[in-house]
Each structure stands twice: as C-alpha cells, then as structure tokens.
Amino acid sequence: MKAFRSQAVCPIFRAALAGAAAHAQTVKIAFIDPFSGVMAPLAANQLHSWQYVAQVANEKNWAGGPKFEVIGFDNKLSPQETTNVLKQAIDQGIRYVVKGNGSGAANALIDAISKYNERNPGKEILYLNYTAVDPDFTNAKCMY
C-alpha cells in the first residue's frame, strides 16, 4: 500500500487535514459527479475509488485520528445542478469538494466556491478538480 500512498490522491487526503478539519472526528469530502445518465457508470466507479482510498486511510490511520468519509452528490452533468448539490454539501458542513467529469460543471463550482469563500472567511471550501481540462482552470480561474 505504500506505493499507492505516493499517488495524487494521498496528498488530497493530507490536505484535508489542514486547519480546523484536523480537529474534526470525520473529514467529509463531497464527490460531485453525474450519477445519472450516460456518465453514471464512470462516476460510480470514481466514487468507489475515492471511498476505497478513504477506507484505507481510515484503516491505516493516515490522519492520526480523524476519519475520512466521501459522499456522492449527483450533478446530472449540469452546471445548474452542480451549484444546487454544492449548496446541499455546504449545508451538511462539508468543506472539501472533488469533481471529475465535465468542464461546465467545474466552471460552475469554481465560480460558486470562489464567491462562497469571499463571503465566508474562516469557513473556506477547498475544491480539487482532477479531470476537467479547460486551460483557464489552471490559469485565470485558478484560486490559491
């Protein structure tokens, strides 16, 4: 399992421990992707992969106490539905968001999370985009 820990997902789980989340009992991560329609099988497979990594992280106690939980939200590959499920995740106290499929949905998340973070200092949301490929996401729209 040590080789797996060196992959990109492990730093994501480590990043989730920064700040106040390190004191939480459970670090919840919203996985926003299309769980209905033509992309559903791919999204389900990706969700199960994230949940597997969370399970391994919990079993191996990578975080030294806090546990990880990855929760799936169906955005139906729609930018509008993406912002709706983001609000649901925020209402559940989730501060970490990952999304894979669809640059339109990624763009909606970037805009919504940027506005949320500006309005809610100290309660910022960390968004990890791991597959949407619009060059603006790593240039003009990249938030640090």
Side-chain angles (χ1 to χ4, degrees), residues 106-116 141 143:
N107 192 49
L109 279 175
I110 289 169
D111 290 344
I113 290 172
S114 179
K115 289 175 187 172
Y116 176 88
K141 289 194 161 230
M143 300 175 292

Side-chain angles (χ1 to χ4, degrees), residues 16-131:
L17 294 175
H23 304 296
Q25 292 294 327
T26 302
V27 175
K28 294 182 179 182
I29 302 169
F31 182 90
I32 299 175
D33 238 13
F35 293 102
S36 56
V38 69
M39 298 295 286
L42 179 60
N45 185 45
Q46 291 171 335
L47 173 63
H48 293 141
S49 296
W50 279 85
Q51 289 172 330
Y52 173 73
V53 172
Q55 176 186 339
V56 171
N58 293 339
E59 289 171 0
K60 303 285 185 182
N61 198 25
W62 289 355
K67 300 297 181 189
F68 296 99
E69 180 181 3
V70 181
I71 303 164
F73 291 86
D74 184 8
N75 71 354
K76 301 176 178 108
L77 203 59
S78 158
Q80 182 178 2
E81 189 63 26
T82 297
T83 57
N84 291 340
V85 297
L86 173 64
K87 184 176 179 340
Q88 292 172 19
I90 292 169
D91 289 347
Q92 293 179 32
I94 297 172
R95 297 290 175 248
Y96 302 95
V97 175
V98 295
K99 191 214 64 60
N101 299 297
S103 291
N107 192 49
L109 279 175
I110 289 169
D111 290 344
I113 290 172
S114 179
K115 289 175 187 172
Y116 176 88
N117 287 346
E118 287 175 16
R119 292 184 209 132
N120 297 281
K123 294 183 180 182
E124 290 86 355
I125 294 171
L126 176 65
Y127 168 48
L128 304 161
N129 170 19
Y130 66 94
T131 62

Side-chain angles (χ1 to χ4, degrees), residues 100 102-104 106-107 110 129 131-142:
S103 291
N107 192 49
I110 289 169
N129 170 19
T131 62
V133 295
D134 186 319
D136 269 353
F137 298 162
T138 55
N139 293 309
K141 289 194 161 230
C142 187

